[in-house]
Amino acid sequence: MVLIANQMDRSVHGLNSEQMVQKNVALVLGGGGAAGNAWLIGLIAGLAEAGVDLTEAADLVIGTSAGANAAAQVRSGIPPADLLAAVLSPPPVQPAGQNRPPPPSLPMETVFERMRAISAAATTAADLQRAMGAFGLESDARFGPEVAQQRRALVAARLPRPDWPERPMIVVAVDAHTGELAAFDRDSGVELADAATAATALPGAGPTHSINGVRYISGGVRSADNADLASGYANVIVLSPFGGRTGPLPAGQFEGLRRPPGADLTSEVEALRKQGSRVEVITPDADSRAAMGTNQMDLATRIPSARAAYAQGKQEATRLTFL
């Protein structure tokens, strides 16, 4: 099913201690562009090499934006070492346009300037989500239906498996019409490729994605990580490509949007801990941040980001010995 915000709140809050024990480990994979996706896979492979295999330990995986694609990889049944090897292998040379998303109709600097203006004007998270949805719908006029079809085909081609995994996974998007949360899972009646395409639809940079007549944008508009959706789990592990930074991100980065109170990772983690969850947050270390560079959308950052994250993962494993 597709859960909107208030339905999700009713479904996960108020669990007793016995229920929390039964729902043991939630893995949260945050957004972060091409570099962030590679960092997530490299980190998971490094952790597995050190004896902590999150692909097996996680009872639930939550993916936002680039983390949605990483979630599909984690739930694919493919060993972490093989997932890393795929990232480290240069993509095969294909005819122009077949292995890259279609270019935005506006310069990315213009898109990000509009996003920053929207976030500066928003006073609540709901205001921000509605305004970003409106921006996405407004931008659709600049994209033809062939662009939407091409983008879905690209996302589908990058998925390791075409079908939803058997084990629980949530892919986060936002309803562009209302600004409400949409959390897709295997019971939603939505194909995985459509859910992943919706989850990565950056307003203004590409078309919104239509599912059953409703148009969606990236779940990163709501939160870079959406860690609050792990409510009710005894242990929550957050892998956040954009977390842990001091000061703003470089100018022009999507996740550099100003977040209203409660929509930032610190607030989400505090709320989970108040509910009784143990929360561990892993963010890029200095080497990983250097590898990810200042433009996380650049496909050239994938290999160095994955390599740096693999080394970091082997060092971070001691933090997760409770699994």
Side-chain angles (χ1 to χ4, degrees), residues 219-271:
V221 166
R222 179 180 185 267
S223 164
D225 304 283
N226 289 291
D228 60 309
L229 302 189
S231 179
Y233 280 78
N235 301 288
V236 180
I237 301 165
V238 182
L239 308 185
S240 178
F242 279 126
R245 295 174 182 263
T246 56
L249 291 172
Q253 285 299 311
F254 168 47
E255 296 302 347
L257 291 176
R258 183 185 62 81
R259 298 285 178 179
D264 60 289
L265 180 57
T266 298
S267 298
E268 293 171 353
V269 169
E270 288 178 355

Short mmCIF file of all heavy atoms in Angstrom, two decimals, residues 219-271:
data_model
loop_
_atom_site.label_atom_id
_atom_site.label_comp_id
_atom_site.label_asym_id
_atom_site.label_seq_id
_atom_site.Cartn_x
_atom_site.Cartn_y
_atom_site.Cartn_z
N GLY A 219 11.51 11.82 -2.78
CA GLY A 219 11.30 11.84 -1.33
C GLY A 219 12.33 12.68 -0.61
O GLY A 219 12.15 13.02 0.57
N GLY A 220 13.43 13.04 -1.31
CA GLY A 220 14.41 13.92 -0.71
C GLY A 220 13.89 15.32 -0.46
O GLY A 220 14.49 16.09 0.30
N VAL A 221 12.77 15.67 -1.08
CA VAL A 221 12.12 16.95 -0.81
C VAL A 221 11.60 16.98 0.63
O VAL A 221 11.66 18.01 1.31
CB VAL A 221 10.97 17.19 -1.81
CG1 VAL A 221 10.06 18.33 -1.36
CG2 VAL A 221 11.53 17.47 -3.19
N ARG A 222 11.11 15.84 1.11
CA ARG A 222 10.59 15.76 2.48
C ARG A 222 11.73 15.73 3.49
O ARG A 222 11.69 16.39 4.53
CB ARG A 222 9.72 14.51 2.63
CG ARG A 222 9.16 14.30 4.04
CD ARG A 222 8.32 13.02 4.08
NE ARG A 222 7.67 12.85 5.37
CZ ARG A 222 8.18 12.14 6.38
NH1 ARG A 222 9.36 11.55 6.24
NH2 ARG A 222 7.53 12.03 7.52
N SER A 223 12.74 14.93 3.21
CA SER A 223 13.88 14.77 4.10
C SER A 223 14.99 14.10 3.32
O SER A 223 14.72 13.23 2.47
CB SER A 223 13.49 13.90 5.32
OG SER A 223 14.64 13.43 6.01
N ALA A 224 16.24 14.45 3.62
CA ALA A 224 17.35 13.81 2.92
C ALA A 224 17.45 12.34 3.28
O ALA A 224 18.02 11.56 2.51
CB ALA A 224 18.65 14.53 3.28
N ASP A 225 16.88 11.94 4.43
CA ASP A 225 17.02 10.57 4.89
C ASP A 225 15.70 9.89 5.23
O ASP A 225 15.58 8.67 5.11
CB ASP A 225 17.94 10.53 6.13
CG ASP A 225 19.29 11.14 5.86
OD1 ASP A 225 20.12 10.47 5.21
OD2 ASP A 225 19.52 12.30 6.27
N ASN A 226 14.71 10.66 5.70
CA ASN A 226 13.42 10.10 6.12
C ASN A 226 13.60 9.02 7.18
O ASN A 226 12.91 7.99 7.18
CB ASN A 226 12.66 9.56 4.91
CG ASN A 226 12.14 10.66 4.02
OD1 ASN A 226 11.25 11.42 4.39
ND2 ASN A 226 12.74 10.79 2.83
N ALA A 227 14.52 9.26 8.10
CA ALA A 227 14.80 8.28 9.15
C ALA A 227 13.61 8.08 10.08
O ALA A 227 13.50 7.03 10.73
CB ALA A 227 16.02 8.72 9.96
N ASP A 228 12.70 9.06 10.14
CA ASP A 228 11.54 8.92 11.02
C ASP A 228 10.65 7.75 10.63
O ASP A 228 9.89 7.24 11.45
CB ASP A 228 10.72 10.21 11.04
CG ASP A 228 10.20 10.58 9.66
OD1 ASP A 228 11.00 10.61 8.70
OD2 ASP A 228 8.99 10.84 9.54
N LEU A 229 10.75 7.27 9.38
CA LEU A 229 9.93 6.15 8.95
C LEU A 229 10.39 4.84 9.57
O LEU A 229 9.71 3.82 9.43
CB LEU A 229 9.94 6.04 7.41
CG LEU A 229 9.47 7.27 6.64
CD1 LEU A 229 9.32 6.94 5.17
CD2 LEU A 229 8.16 7.79 7.21
N ALA A 230 11.52 4.85 10.27
CA ALA A 230 12.00 3.66 10.98
C ALA A 230 11.43 3.58 12.40
O ALA A 230 11.84 2.71 13.17
CB ALA A 230 13.53 3.66 11.04
N SER A 231 10.50 4.46 12.72
CA SER A 231 9.89 4.45 14.05
C SER A 231 9.33 3.08 14.38
O SER A 231 8.68 2.43 13.55
CB SER A 231 8.77 5.49 14.11
OG SER A 231 8.14 5.49 15.36
N GLY A 232 9.58 2.62 15.61
CA GLY A 232 9.09 1.32 16.05
C GLY A 232 10.13 0.23 15.98
O GLY A 232 9.89 -0.87 16.49
N TYR A 233 11.28 0.50 15.41
CA TYR A 233 12.35 -0.50 15.33
C TYR A 233 13.33 -0.31 16.49
O TYR A 233 13.70 0.80 16.83
CB TYR A 233 13.07 -0.42 13.99
CG TYR A 233 12.29 -1.11 12.90
CD1 TYR A 233 11.19 -0.49 12.32
CD2 TYR A 233 12.60 -2.40 12.51
CE1 TYR A 233 10.44 -1.13 11.35
CE2 TYR A 233 11.85 -3.05 11.53
CZ TYR A 233 10.77 -2.41 10.96
OH TYR A 233 10.02 -3.05 10.02
N ALA A 234 13.75 -1.41 17.07
CA ALA A 234 14.63 -1.36 18.23
C ALA A 234 15.99 -0.78 17.87
O ALA A 234 16.61 -0.06 18.66
CB ALA A 234 14.80 -2.76 18.82
N ASN A 235 16.48 -1.11 16.67
CA ASN A 235 17.78 -0.63 16.21
C ASN A 235 17.61 0.03 14.85
O ASN A 235 17.01 -0.56 13.95
CB ASN A 235 18.77 -1.79 16.10
CG ASN A 235 18.97 -2.51 17.42
OD1 ASN A 235 19.59 -1.99 18.33
ND2 ASN A 235 18.41 -3.71 17.51
N VAL A 236 18.14 1.23 14.71
CA VAL A 236 18.06 1.96 13.45
C VAL A 236 19.47 2.36 13.04
O VAL A 236 20.20 2.99 13.81
CB VAL A 236 17.18 3.21 13.57
CG1 VAL A 236 17.11 3.94 12.23
CG2 VAL A 236 15.77 2.84 14.05
N ILE A 237 19.85 1.97 11.84
CA ILE A 237 21.16 2.33 11.30
C ILE A 237 20.93 3.27 10.13
O ILE A 237 20.25 2.90 9.15
CB ILE A 237 21.93 1.07 10.84
CG1 ILE A 237 22.12 0.13 12.03
CG2 ILE A 237 23.28 1.45 10.23
CD1 ILE A 237 22.55 -1.26 11.62
N VAL A 238 21.46 4.47 10.22
CA VAL A 238 21.28 5.49 9.20
C VAL A 238 22.61 5.70 8.47
O VAL A 238 23.61 6.05 9.10
CB VAL A 238 20.81 6.83 9.80
CG1 VAL A 238 20.57 7.85 8.68
CG2 VAL A 238 19.55 6.64 10.62
N LEU A 239 22.61 5.45 7.17
CA LEU A 239 23.77 5.75 6.33
C LEU A 239 23.41 6.99 5.52
O LEU A 239 22.57 6.93 4.62
CB LEU A 239 24.10 4.57 5.42
CG LEU A 239 24.25 3.19 6.10
CD1 LEU A 239 24.69 2.15 5.08
CD2 LEU A 239 25.21 3.26 7.28
N SER A 240 24.01 8.12 5.86
CA SER A 240 23.57 9.41 5.33
C SER A 240 24.69 10.08 4.53
O SER A 240 25.61 10.68 5.11
CB SER A 240 23.14 10.32 6.49
OG SER A 240 22.75 11.59 6.00
N PRO A 241 24.63 10.02 3.19
CA PRO A 241 25.68 10.65 2.38
C PRO A 241 25.83 12.15 2.61
O PRO A 241 26.93 12.68 2.48
CB PRO A 241 25.21 10.36 0.94
CG PRO A 241 24.38 9.13 1.04
CD PRO A 241 23.68 9.26 2.36
N PHE A 242 24.72 12.83 2.95
CA PHE A 242 24.79 14.28 3.14
C PHE A 242 24.84 14.67 4.61
O PHE A 242 24.85 15.86 4.93
CB PHE A 242 23.59 14.96 2.47
CG PHE A 242 23.76 15.16 1.00
CD1 PHE A 242 22.80 14.69 0.12
CD2 PHE A 242 24.86 15.82 0.49
CE1 PHE A 242 22.94 14.88 -1.26
CE2 PHE A 242 25.01 16.01 -0.88
CZ PHE A 242 24.05 15.55 -1.75
N GLY A 243 24.85 13.70 5.51
CA GLY A 243 24.88 14.00 6.93
C GLY A 243 26.29 14.29 7.42
O GLY A 243 27.28 14.04 6.73
N GLY A 244 26.37 14.82 8.65
CA GLY A 244 27.66 15.00 9.29
C GLY A 244 28.49 16.16 8.80
O GLY A 244 29.66 16.29 9.16
N ARG A 245 27.92 17.03 8.00
CA ARG A 245 28.69 18.17 7.49
C ARG A 245 28.53 19.37 8.41
O ARG A 245 27.46 19.60 8.96
CB ARG A 245 28.23 18.54 6.07
CG ARG A 245 28.52 17.44 5.05
CD ARG A 245 27.92 17.78 3.70
NE ARG A 245 28.16 16.70 2.75
CZ ARG A 245 29.15 16.69 1.87
NH1 ARG A 245 29.99 17.69 1.83
NH2 ARG A 245 29.30 15.69 1.03
N THR A 246 29.59 20.12 8.55
CA THR A 246 29.52 21.36 9.32
C THR A 246 29.40 22.51 8.32
O THR A 246 30.23 22.65 7.43
CB THR A 246 30.79 21.54 10.17
OG1 THR A 246 31.94 21.47 9.33
CG2 THR A 246 30.88 20.43 11.21
N GLY A 247 28.37 23.31 8.48
CA GLY A 247 28.13 24.39 7.55
C GLY A 247 27.39 23.91 6.32
O GLY A 247 27.12 22.73 6.15
N PRO A 248 27.04 24.82 5.44
CA PRO A 248 26.24 24.47 4.26
C PRO A 248 27.05 23.69 3.24
O PRO A 248 28.28 23.74 3.21
CB PRO A 248 25.83 25.84 3.70
CG PRO A 248 26.93 26.77 4.15
CD PRO A 248 27.36 26.26 5.50
N LEU A 249 26.34 22.95 2.40
CA LEU A 249 26.97 22.27 1.28
C LEU A 249 27.40 23.30 0.24
O LEU A 249 26.97 24.45 0.28
CB LEU A 249 25.99 21.29 0.65
CG LEU A 249 25.64 20.06 1.49
CD1 LEU A 249 24.52 19.30 0.82
CD2 LEU A 249 26.84 19.16 1.65
N PRO A 250 28.25 22.92 -0.69
CA PRO A 250 28.63 23.86 -1.76
C PRO A 250 27.39 24.41 -2.47
O PRO A 250 26.38 23.73 -2.60
CB PRO A 250 29.47 22.99 -2.70
CG PRO A 250 30.02 21.90 -1.83
CD PRO A 250 28.93 21.63 -0.81
N ALA A 251 27.49 25.63 -2.93
CA ALA A 251 26.36 26.28 -3.60
C ALA A 251 25.87 25.42 -4.75
O ALA A 251 26.65 24.88 -5.52
CB ALA A 251 26.77 27.65 -4.11
N GLY A 252 24.53 25.29 -4.84
CA GLY A 252 23.95 24.56 -5.95
C GLY A 252 23.63 23.11 -5.66
O GLY A 252 23.14 22.41 -6.53
N GLN A 253 23.86 22.66 -4.43
CA GLN A 253 23.53 21.27 -4.11
C GLN A 253 22.09 21.18 -3.61
O GLN A 253 21.67 21.93 -2.74
CB GLN A 253 24.49 20.72 -3.06
CG GLN A 253 25.87 20.40 -3.62
CD GLN A 253 25.81 19.35 -4.70
OE1 GLN A 253 25.20 18.31 -4.54
NE2 GLN A 253 26.45 19.62 -5.83
N PHE A 254 21.36 20.18 -4.14
CA PHE A 254 19.95 20.01 -3.79
C PHE A 254 19.77 19.83 -2.30
O PHE A 254 18.93 20.47 -1.68
CB PHE A 254 19.39 18.81 -4.56
CG PHE A 254 18.04 18.34 -4.10
CD1 PHE A 254 17.01 19.24 -3.89
CD2 PHE A 254 17.78 17.00 -3.89
CE1 PHE A 254 15.76 18.82 -3.49
CE2 PHE A 254 16.54 16.57 -3.51
CZ PHE A 254 15.53 17.47 -3.30
N GLU A 255 20.57 18.95 -1.68
CA GLU A 255 20.36 18.68 -0.26
C GLU A 255 20.88 19.81 0.62
O GLU A 255 20.86 19.71 1.83
CB GLU A 255 21.00 17.34 0.12
CG GLU A 255 20.35 16.14 -0.57
CD GLU A 255 18.86 16.00 -0.30
OE1 GLU A 255 18.35 16.67 0.61
OE2 GLU A 255 18.21 15.24 -1.00
N GLY A 256 21.38 20.87 -0.01
CA GLY A 256 21.72 22.05 0.76
C GLY A 256 20.52 22.93 1.06
O GLY A 256 20.66 23.98 1.65
N LEU A 257 19.33 22.50 0.64
CA LEU A 257 18.12 23.24 0.96
C LEU A 257 17.97 23.44 2.46
O LEU A 257 18.25 22.54 3.25
CB LEU A 257 16.89 22.48 0.45
CG LEU A 257 16.70 22.36 -1.05
CD1 LEU A 257 15.49 21.49 -1.35
CD2 LEU A 257 16.53 23.72 -1.68
N ARG A 258 17.53 24.61 2.84
CA ARG A 258 17.26 24.84 4.25
C ARG A 258 16.08 23.99 4.68
O ARG A 258 15.03 24.01 4.06
CB ARG A 258 16.93 26.33 4.48
CG ARG A 258 16.70 26.68 5.95
CD ARG A 258 16.28 28.13 6.07
NE ARG A 258 15.02 28.38 5.38
CZ ARG A 258 13.82 28.09 5.90
NH1 ARG A 258 13.71 27.55 7.09
NH2 ARG A 258 12.72 28.37 5.21
N ARG A 259 16.26 23.25 5.75
CA ARG A 259 15.21 22.36 6.24
C ARG A 259 14.46 22.99 7.40
O ARG A 259 15.09 23.44 8.37
CB ARG A 259 15.82 21.03 6.70
CG ARG A 259 16.53 20.27 5.60
CD ARG A 259 15.53 19.62 4.67
NE ARG A 259 16.21 18.92 3.58
CZ ARG A 259 15.58 18.25 2.63
NH1 ARG A 259 14.26 18.21 2.62
NH2 ARG A 259 16.25 17.64 1.68
N PRO A 260 13.14 23.04 7.34
CA PRO A 260 12.39 23.53 8.50
C PRO A 260 12.62 22.63 9.70
O PRO A 260 13.01 21.46 9.56
CB PRO A 260 10.92 23.43 8.02
CG PRO A 260 11.00 23.44 6.53
CD PRO A 260 12.27 22.72 6.21
N PRO A 261 12.42 23.12 10.91
CA PRO A 261 12.62 22.32 12.12
C PRO A 261 11.85 21.00 12.06
O PRO A 261 10.69 20.97 11.65
CB PRO A 261 12.08 23.22 13.23
CG PRO A 261 12.25 24.61 12.71
CD PRO A 261 12.01 24.50 11.23
N GLY A 262 12.52 19.94 12.44
CA GLY A 262 11.89 18.61 12.45
C GLY A 262 12.13 17.81 11.20
O GLY A 262 11.92 16.60 11.19
N ALA A 263 12.59 18.45 10.12
CA ALA A 263 12.82 17.74 8.86
C ALA A 263 14.29 17.44 8.63
O ALA A 263 14.66 16.95 7.58
CB ALA A 263 12.27 18.55 7.69
N ASP A 264 15.12 17.74 9.62
CA ASP A 264 16.55 17.48 9.51
C ASP A 264 16.89 16.16 10.21
O ASP A 264 16.14 15.66 11.04
CB ASP A 264 17.35 18.62 10.12
CG ASP A 264 17.03 18.81 11.59
OD1 ASP A 264 15.91 19.27 11.90
OD2 ASP A 264 17.87 18.45 12.43
N LEU A 265 18.05 15.62 9.88
CA LEU A 265 18.44 14.31 10.42
C LEU A 265 18.57 14.33 11.93
O LEU A 265 18.16 13.38 12.61
CB LEU A 265 19.75 13.85 9.77
CG LEU A 265 20.28 12.49 10.23
CD1 LEU A 265 19.26 11.38 10.00
CD2 LEU A 265 21.60 12.17 9.51
N THR A 266 19.13 15.41 12.48
CA THR A 266 19.30 15.48 13.93
C THR A 266 17.96 15.35 14.65
O THR A 266 17.83 14.61 15.63
CB THR A 266 19.98 16.80 14.33
OG1 THR A 266 21.29 16.86 13.74
CG2 THR A 266 20.11 16.91 15.84
N SER A 267 16.94 16.05 14.16
CA SER A 267 15.61 15.98 14.77
C SER A 267 15.02 14.58 14.64
O SER A 267 14.40 14.06 15.59
CB SER A 267 14.67 16.99 14.12
OG SER A 267 15.14 18.31 14.31
N GLU A 268 15.21 13.96 13.49
CA GLU A 268 14.67 12.61 13.28
C GLU A 268 15.33 11.61 14.22
O GLU A 268 14.65 10.75 14.80
CB GLU A 268 14.88 12.20 11.83
CG GLU A 268 14.05 13.01 10.85
CD GLU A 268 14.40 12.75 9.39
OE1 GLU A 268 15.40 12.04 9.12
OE2 GLU A 268 13.69 13.26 8.50
N VAL A 269 16.63 11.74 14.39
CA VAL A 269 17.35 10.81 15.28
C VAL A 269 16.94 11.02 16.73
O VAL A 269 16.72 10.05 17.48
CB VAL A 269 18.87 10.99 15.11
CG1 VAL A 269 19.64 10.24 16.20
CG2 VAL A 269 19.31 10.50 13.73
N GLU A 270 16.82 12.27 17.14
CA GLU A 270 16.39 12.55 18.52
C GLU A 270 15.02 11.96 18.80
O GLU A 270 14.78 11.38 19.87
CB GLU A 270 16.38 14.06 18.76
CG GLU A 270 17.77 14.68 18.85
CD GLU A 270 17.71 16.18 19.04
OE1 GLU A 270 16.60 16.75 19.00
OE2 GLU A 270 18.79 16.79 19.23
N ALA A 271 14.09 12.08 17.85
CA ALA A 271 12.74 11.54 18.04
C ALA A 271 12.77 10.02 18.14
O ALA A 271 12.07 9.43 18.99
CB ALA A 271 11.85 11.98 16.88
#
